[in-house]
Amino acid sequence: MALLQEWRDYAYSHDDRTKAGQQFWVGYFSIEKGIYEKILEHETEVVSGTVEELAAKYETEVMYMAGFLDGINDSLKTPNPIEEMEKDTVVSLDIDLEKLYYNMVAAKAEWLYELPQWDHILTAERRKELYKEQKSSKTVVKPPKIGRNDPCPCGSGKKYKHCCGR
């Protein structure tokens, strides 16, 4: 079984509505935060190696590293083959930093997008722009309602009720 599937089976077997499940996820998010802190301190460095080597480098288990790689994969310039990844698969973390910040906001991972390491990577104004851009991408804007007696938007000059409103 691929490492990613093992991770998903393991992680999602922990119900976050239970105390044990909450403890698991708090522990995982703490590990994830630690990895991001180290990566963002050296943001220009492209980290690469086997999954096992990266787990050792960031002082975590291979299973947790698989979860981390699953989370960061959408923020990489070139995604890794995570679906068939094993512990000896070579992966690269060539991160698109703006996309990473945007995705952290999308995931509502406040503990990640508010890390102090972002201060020297993206300006406060750029972070604010990315935050607003992500939040507005989920906002549904309904067009104004057309009244029965309003001119038809098709441009026929007729009232809506006698044209496209039928």
Side-chain angles (χ1 to χ4, degrees):
M1 180 184 297
L3 193 56
L4 181 63
Q5 190 58 49
E6 286 179 42
W7 160 254
R8 288 178 177 165
D9 291 347
Y10 176 69
Y12 297 117
S13 70
H14 292 85
D15 186 350
D16 63 357
R17 294 172 292 185
T18 66
K19 187 170 179 110
Q22 290 169 356
Q23 288 174 338
F24 167 78
W25 285 108
V26 166
Y28 171 73
F29 292 143
S30 175
I31 292 167
E32 180 184 45
K33 181 180 177 184
I35 295 171
Y36 275 117
E37 287 171 338
K38 291 174 184 174
I39 286 174
L40 294 176
E41 284 173 8
H42 308 286
E43 76 278 2
T44 57
E45 179 185 345
V46 177
V47 179
S48 64
T50 66
V51 176
E52 194 169 38
E53 290 168 350
L54 293 182
K57 177 177 181 161
Y58 295 110
E59 301 168 357
T60 189
E61 298 174 32
V62 172
M63 186 77 71
Y64 288 102
M65 183 52 67
F68 176 82
L69 292 169
D70 184 23
I72 199 172
N73 208 45
D74 289 340
S75 303
L76 301 177
K77 293 175 183 171
T78 305
N80 289 307
I82 60 170
E83 294 297 331
E84 57 269 351
M85 175 174 66
E86 297 295 339
K87 67 181 184 176
D88 57 349
T89 303
V90 176
V91 294
S92 176
L93 301 180
D94 189 8
I95 304 168
D96 179 337
L97 294 166
E98 287 192 356
K99 193 172 184 183
L100 176 63
Y101 187 85
Y102 182 93
N103 289 339
M104 287 176 171
V105 172
K108 299 178 183 164
E110 190 173 320
W111 66 96
L112 297 176
Y113 68 77
E114 289 189 353
L115 286 171
Q117 287 82 353
W118 284 111
D119 294 344
H120 73 277
I121 298 171
L122 299 172
T123 64
E125 295 81 28
R126 184 62 185 143
R127 290 192 311 256
K128 191 173 183 179
E129 287 172 13
L130 289 168
Y131 184 90
K132 283 184 174 181
E133 183 182 321
Q134 197 292 316
K135 292 299 181 183
S136 68
S137 72
K138 301 264 184 200
T139 305
V140 176
V141 180
K142 292 183 179 179
K145 186 171 179 175
I146 303 165
R148 290 172 31 85
N149 292 315
D150 291 342
C152 190
C154 76
S156 67
K158 297 179 182 179
K159 287 184 179 182
Y160 180 69
K161 67 181 178 184
H162 293 298
C163 189
C164 295
R166 290 181 168 218

